[in-house]
Amino acid sequence: MSPNIQVPMSLLEIKDLHVEAGGREILKGVTMNIEEGEICVLFGPNGSGKSTLLSTIMGYGQTTVTSGKIIFKGEDITGMSVDQRAKLGIGMMMQRPPNVIGVKLGELVKVTAANGKGTTGRENEFNMQDFMERDVNVGFSGGEIKRSELLQLSAQSPDFVMLDEPESGVDLENIGLIGKKVHELIYGSEDGKTREKNVSAFVITHTGQIMDYIGADKAFVLIHGKIAREGDPMAILEDIKQNGYGVDDE
């Protein structure tokens, strides 16, 4: 191999991952790889384990790894806490984050920035300036929750971003702002021409709408807790639109 050829480095490796949640097995041997700077989308019918997969990578306690490994930046993180994973550079926007009563959004953003590489003072960019003294997510609309989550991620400035259905529950006015801010989070700019960061992303989507803003290098399809397909995102999305997933519980 020529010394001038740069081989992409693996950022995240998942090896034969089996996961239980709520007393039953959800992930049944997931194996996949995401490279540095790669943007990947995850398709799959409802109940296939998509959110469970992201939550397990983040280390949330409602999931239990029964076998397999999660390797991030060459390090086995399978047994690490959420805080440890965040400090390594993993960040996640949940689809339905919990209300955090007694914690102000501004306080959470400051703590997140202190533990990451980002900065505070960007609430105006996310139209969240009137929410900084409010309890996190309490009384927020769907679009406001998404913007709040993105503001927190911008403060963290992770190397690997996971987004669970960023388009869901968002009106047309908010989807443009959210799409631009997701693009900026990954690319480091909003102009769509330059890439100032080398952030990798893993995004759950049903509609593929977010791909209009961030593109995608690779797609995975998760069915019945296993990766059923991997390949070109647009080709896979078009096939799903025309033929569905080919499972009874779609």
Side-chain angles (χ1 to χ4, degrees):
M1 180 179 295
S2 169
N4 295 323
I5 298 177
Q6 292 186 344
V7 179
M9 298 294 292
S10 176
L11 183 72
L12 176 75
E13 292 180 83
I14 297 179
K15 301 181 178 180
D16 194 25
L17 189 67
H18 292 252
V19 173
E20 291 183 354
R24 65 189 184 95
E25 188 176 41
I26 306 297
L27 301 181
K28 306 173 182 179
V30 171
T31 296
M32 55 177 290
N33 180 73
I34 295 177
E35 297 171 355
E36 289 185 0
E38 194 169 41
I39 300 170
C40 300
V41 292
L42 180 64
F43 298 113
N46 292 330
S48 59
K50 301 185 301 298
S51 293
T52 297
L53 176 56
L54 266 63
S55 293
T56 303
I57 295 170
M58 194 70 242
Y60 289 139
Q62 65 267 33
T63 62
T64 301
V65 175
T66 56
S67 65
K69 291 184 178 181
I70 304 170
I71 310 297
F72 183 70
K73 295 181 178 179
E75 186 172 355
D76 188 346
I77 66 168
T78 312
M80 287 188 180
S81 66
V82 176
D83 183 61
Q84 289 172 316
R85 299 179 199 216
K87 288 180 179 178
L88 282 175
I90 303 177
M92 179 174 172
M93 184 176 82
M94 301 173 66
Q95 183 183 3
R96 299 181 183 90
N99 294 345
V100 187
I101 298 174
V103 178
K104 306 302 181 187
L105 178 59
E107 296 171 355
L108 181 58
V109 169
K110 287 180 181 179
V111 170
T112 302
N115 290 333
K117 300 173 292 185
T119 59
T120 57
R122 300 183 60 194
E123 54 267 20
N124 288 355
E125 299 177 26
F126 296 83
N127 292 339
M128 295 302 293
Q129 61 271 19
D130 296 329
F131 295 80
M132 304 305 284
E133 295 302 319
R134 290 176 56 177
D135 288 359
V136 178
N137 298 329
V138 177
F140 289 17
S141 70
E144 289 162 356
I145 288 175
K146 300 291 187 184
R147 300 200 314 268
S148 170
E149 291 274 287
L150 282 172
L151 175 60
Q152 295 167 50
L153 277 177
S154 73
Q156 180 190 356
S157 189
D159 301 318
F160 179 55
V161 177
M162 296 188 293
L163 309 174
D164 192 345
E165 294 191 46
E167 320 101 309
S168 68
V170 178
D171 58 34
L172 290 175
E173 181 179 359
N174 274 299
I175 188 61
L177 173 61
I178 289 169
K180 289 178 181 178
K181 287 304 177 185
V182 170
H183 184 283
E184 181 182 0
L185 184 66
I186 296 171
Y187 288 88
S189 65
E190 289 189 22
D191 61 14
K193 299 177 182 179
T194 59
R195 184 156 193 173
E196 299 171 4
K197 294 183 178 180
N198 197 38
V199 174
S200 299
F202 193 27
V203 185
I204 295 175
T205 179
H206 280 291
T207 67
Q209 191 175 9
I210 192 65
M211 290 159 53
D212 293 339
Y213 296 91
I214 64 172
D217 301 304
K218 184 165 61 181
F220 299 94
V221 179
L222 187 69
I223 297 177
H224 296 314
K226 295 182 178 181
I227 299 296
R229 187 176 176 186
E230 176 183 335
D232 178 78
M234 294 307 299
I236 289 178
L237 177 60
E238 187 61 32
D239 184 55
I240 292 170
K241 287 180 177 179
Q242 292 186 11
N243 304 307
Y245 291 104
V247 294
D248 294 335
D249 60 349
E250 181 179 343

